[in-house]
């Protein structure tokens, strides 16, 4: 094969929004090199898995995707990238670390040169995103006792604000109507020109035409008043993800978290006083080493009283290289599962309570795709999933439409398009 041979490359992303942002950059690099990005379940010359290793479940998903790729095209090259790539070293044809991601396309192309490409007629296209993810910060200096991120992503560093603005402009040019800015420690963003995260947001709003700007996870101990001052601007989504992790002060201390439950409650109260309709989502961990029944109950109480719009419940997973891995008094898997199930039931109730408050409102929804029942599905600025029937049968992909919310469904809300309701 000559140097001009073009290949089809499938890309699947596991884990956090940082990984999603990096995958979007990688997809653009693949396309710029003249290759084609295809759906992961279609025949391809190479299968790239941007991995996550935060939990053992994420590692298992990576292995499952490798098996899927081999079933789809046994002749294709399998590639593990990123945080959990080492866990796939024995199964994948190639492993590319976080520090090598910028070389991924050239490394994969070199590996493919002696293989015939998959005929174009055999592969399917990939759906274009309506929302874009832009990584503005990487790494973490904090070293929470359960977390592997500082080990696999290194020390904190911020992307220069000019580069961030240029990347957002590219997303707009690609058709994205919403951009999510993300980073493992987003709240610590620092740049000479922009200053802090609030300054970066102001620059993006000033220098780009993005219609929706969403912030990803911000740690409670670095959330400041400058961020709250941004919210009169209706281009910023009224949605904040602020990790709690535990409702027990003793466990927060053991986890290495820099706040108490009192600090957390005070922050949520301040946010809701400033942005009353803000949807607040969070993360919690159950089954941390040494967690007592009483400490777990404290977490349940916190979730129930704070009325989160969504709670991501994580069962503690031992990660070699973390402080928690060396701790004694591990909670049995069966107790971890029981506690997870209890937290998930409470989380479902709080989410439903939040959604019910939205019933009767008319809101803007950015539509993404048809769901399994043939209804169109999209997200509000408050990160609520909304489904509608489209009487006109027109394509709503990437359209922002007004929707009147009329009832709560199992996984979100159902509404009617305002201009179709007459």
């Amino acid at each position: 094969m000559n140097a001009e041979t073009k290949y089809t490359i499938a890309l699947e992303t596991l884990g956090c929004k940082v990984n999603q942002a990096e995958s979007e950059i990688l997809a653009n690099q693949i396309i710029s090199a003249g290759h084609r990005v295809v759906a992961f379940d279609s025949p391809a010359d190479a299968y790239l898995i941007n991995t996550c290793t935060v939990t053992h479940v994420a590692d298992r998903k990576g292995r499952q995707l490798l098996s899927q790729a081999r079933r789809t095209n046994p002749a294709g090259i399998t590639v593990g990238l990123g945080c959990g790539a080492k866990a796939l070293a024995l199964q994948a044809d190639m492993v590319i670390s976080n520090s090598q991601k910028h070389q991924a396309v050239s490394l994969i192309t070199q590996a493919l040169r002696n293989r015939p490409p998959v005929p174009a007629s055999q592969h399917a296209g990939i759906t274009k995103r309506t929302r874009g993810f832009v990584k503005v910060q990487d790494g973490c200096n904090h070293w929470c006792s359960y977390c592997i991120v500082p080990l696999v992503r290194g020390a904190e560093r911020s992307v220069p604000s000019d580069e961030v603005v240029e990347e957002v402009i590219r997303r707009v040019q690609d058709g994205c109507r919403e951009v999510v800015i993300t980073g493992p420690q987003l709240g610590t963003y620092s740049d000479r020109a922009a200053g802090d995260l609030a300054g970066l947001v102001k620059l993006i709003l000033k220098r780009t035409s993005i219609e929706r700007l969403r912030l990803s996870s911000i740690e409670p101990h670095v959330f400041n008043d400058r961020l709250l001052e941004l919210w009169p601007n209706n281009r910023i989504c009224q949605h904040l993800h602020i990790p709690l992790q535990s409702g027990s002060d003793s466990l927060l201390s053991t986890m290495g978290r820099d706040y108490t439950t009192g600090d957390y409650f005070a922050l949520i109260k301040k946010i809701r006083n400033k942005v009353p309709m803000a949807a607040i989502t969070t993360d919690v961990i159950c089954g941390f080493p040494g967690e007592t029944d009483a400490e777990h109950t404290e977490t349940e109480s916190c979730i129930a009283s704070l009325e989160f719009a969504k709670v991501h419940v994580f069962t503690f997973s031992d990660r070699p290289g973390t402080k928690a891995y060396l701790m004694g008094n591990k909670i049995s898997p069966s107790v971890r599962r029981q506690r997870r199930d209890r937290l998930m039931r409470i989380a479902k109730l709080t989410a439903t309570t939040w959604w019910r408050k939205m019933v009767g409102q008319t809101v803007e929804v950015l539509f993404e795709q048809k769901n399994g029942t043939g209804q169109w599905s999209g997200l509000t600025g408050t990160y609520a999933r909304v489904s509608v029937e489209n009487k006109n049968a027109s394509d709503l992909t990437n359209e922002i439409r007004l929707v009147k919310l009329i009832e709560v469904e199992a996984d979100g809300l159902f509404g009617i398009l305002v201009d179709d309701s007459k």
Side-chain angles (χ1 to χ4, degrees), residues 15 54 102-103 106 141 171 192 212 221 245 326 341 366 392 396 401 416:
V54 169
H102 66 286
Q103 299 175 289
S106 62
N141 297 340
R171 293 290 191 274
R192 183 176 298 177
R212 277 187 179 182
H221 66 282
Q245 306 303 9
L326 302 175
D341 292 345
L366 173 57
N392 296 327
L396 295 181
R401 300 281 292 273
I416 54 176

Side-chain angles (χ1 to χ4, degrees), residues 19-84:
N19 266 10
Q20 294 180 53
E22 291 175 341
S23 289
E24 290 190 10
I25 292 172
L26 184 55
N28 288 334
Q29 291 172 343
I30 292 168
I31 294 167
S32 296
H35 309 301
R36 182 168 182 177
V37 178
V38 300
F40 198 82
D41 59 357
S42 66
D45 299 301
Y47 294 85
L48 281 60
I49 305 167
N50 195 357
T51 60
C52 172
T53 191
V54 169
T55 67
H56 69 279
V57 174
D59 287 336
R60 185 172 68 241
K61 287 181 179 178
R63 294 191 294 270
Q64 290 170 342
L65 285 169
L66 277 180
S67 298
Q68 176 188 329
R70 288 208 171 93
R71 289 193 301 270
T72 306
N73 180 16
I77 290 178
T78 55
V79 185
L81 301 97
C83 298

Side-chain angles (χ1 to χ4, degrees), residues 268-283:
I268 300 305
K269 181 179 180 181
K270 181 185 290 187
I271 292 171
R272 286 180 169 150
N273 284 340
K274 179 69 174 181
V275 195
M277 292 309 297
I280 299 174
T281 57
T282 198
D283 301 327

Side-chain angles (χ1 to χ4, degrees), residues 70-325:
R70 288 208 171 93
R71 289 193 301 270
T72 306
N73 180 16
I77 290 178
T78 55
V79 185
L81 301 97
C83 298
K86 288 183 180 178
L88 302 182
L90 296 179
Q91 296 118 314
D93 296 313
M94 292 181 65
V95 167
I96 298 175
S97 67
N98 279 321
S99 62
Q100 296 175 303
K101 275 184 179 176
H102 66 286
Q103 299 175 289
V105 177
S106 62
L107 292 172
I108 293 162
T109 302
Q110 289 173 22
L112 286 168
R113 279 178 180 160
N114 295 320
R115 301 191 183 203
V118 172
S121 60
Q122 293 186 19
H123 61 71
I126 190 166
T127 302
K128 190 174 183 180
R129 286 187 180 274
T130 61
R131 301 191 303 141
F133 295 83
V134 174
K135 184 178 74 171
V136 306
Q137 183 273 339
D138 205 351
C140 179
N141 297 340
H142 195 62
W143 292 94
C144 294
S145 61
Y146 54 82
C147 187
I148 198 71
V149 169
L151 190 63
V152 296
R153 285 195 171 270
E156 291 176 12
R157 55 211 183 270
S158 298
V159 178
S161 56
D162 284 347
E163 293 182 22
V164 173
V165 169
E166 289 171 4
E167 193 63 36
V168 173
I169 291 172
R170 279 193 286 270
R171 293 290 191 274
V172 174
Q173 292 171 341
D174 288 342
C176 290
R177 304 188 71 175
E178 177 181 313
V179 160
V180 184
I181 57 174
T182 187
Q185 281 287 340
L186 180 63
T188 67
Y189 180 87
S190 178
D191 172 72
R192 183 176 298 177
D196 59 6
L197 178 59
L200 176 66
V201 171
K202 290 178 180 178
L203 272 181
I204 294 172
L205 294 173
K206 180 179 179 180
R207 294 171 55 184
T208 79
S209 60
I210 190 66
E211 294 170 80
R212 277 187 179 182
L213 187 65
R214 193 182 300 275
L215 308 183
S216 67
S217 180
I218 303 175
E219 294 291 337
H221 66 282
V222 295
F223 195 101
N224 58 45
D225 290 344
R226 276 175 51 78
L227 284 170
L228 273 183
E229 292 169 2
L230 299 170
W231 260 270
N233 193 309
N234 59 16
R235 291 166 63 195
I236 307 174
C237 293
Q238 293 190 11
H239 164 227
L240 288 165
H241 187 82
I242 305 175
L244 171 63
Q245 306 303 9
S246 175
S248 163
D249 284 341
S250 54
L251 272 187
L252 287 175
S253 177
T254 306
M255 289 177 172
R257 307 292 286 173
D258 286 341
Y259 55 89
T260 66
T261 54
D263 297 331
Y264 193 94
F265 271 80
L267 174 61
I268 300 305
K269 181 179 180 181
K270 181 185 290 187
I271 292 171
R272 286 180 169 150
N273 284 340
K274 179 69 174 181
V275 195
M277 292 309 297
I280 299 174
T281 57
T282 198
D283 301 327
V284 293
I285 298 171
C286 63
F288 188 81
E291 181 186 54
T292 65
D293 287 340
E295 288 169 332
H296 177 78
T297 300
E298 287 181 290
T299 299
E300 291 182 349
S301 298
C302 277
I303 292 175
S305 60
L306 284 168
E307 298 182 348
F308 292 109
K310 187 172 185 178
V311 180
H312 299 270
V313 179
F314 294 90
T315 306
F316 172 76
S317 183
D318 257 337
R319 299 287 86 187
T322 65
K323 292 179 182 178
Y325 185 74

